[in-house]
Amino acid sequence: MDQYNNEHRHMISFDQTSEPEGFQNIPEMDRDQAGYAEGWQFSVYPDQPWSDWRAHGILIDDTFYIVWLDENHALYPKA
């Protein structure tokens, strides 16, 4: 649960993203169990500066559940 920007590992502030409602609109998401959990992301290739790949998901206890593999880092659109 440590945020570490060198690996782009941090909580997601959804109000600043392309999905301001967070993971609430994902089909078949159990909103009671996971829909309101804090979103997290990390870089899939942290040692490669050319890579925009991110894994987005939720952390429940000691388990990270991947919700979205984001090849183009589309959650945070480039201005």
Side-chain angles (χ1 to χ4, degrees), residues 1-4 9-12 14 23 38-42 55-59 64 75:
M1 293 188 68
D2 293 332
Q3 298 192 64
Y4 184 57
R9 182 177 64 225
H10 56 81
M11 289 190 301
I12 299 170
F14 282 105
F23 296 138
E38 291 178 331
W40 282 78
Q41 77 161 25
F42 62 87
H56 306 291
I58 55 176
L59 188 62
F64 184 79
L75 185 64

Side-chain angles (χ1 to χ4, degrees), residues 7-62:
E7 294 177 358
H8 304 281
R9 182 177 64 225
H10 56 81
M11 289 190 301
I12 299 170
S13 297
F14 282 105
D15 61 334
Q16 302 171 14
T17 71
S18 62
E19 300 295 328
E21 298 298 317
F23 296 138
Q24 294 302 307
N25 296 322
I26 295 174
E28 300 180 26
M29 172 67 82
D30 182 346
R31 291 185 179 117
D32 292 333
Q33 180 178 3
Y36 294 100
E38 291 178 331
W40 282 78
Q41 77 161 25
F42 62 87
S43 177
V44 176
Y45 300 106
D47 294 334
Q48 304 298 323
W50 49 263
S51 176
D52 285 336
W53 273 92
R54 298 293 187 274
H56 306 291
I58 55 176
L59 188 62
I60 299 176
D61 296 326
D62 292 334

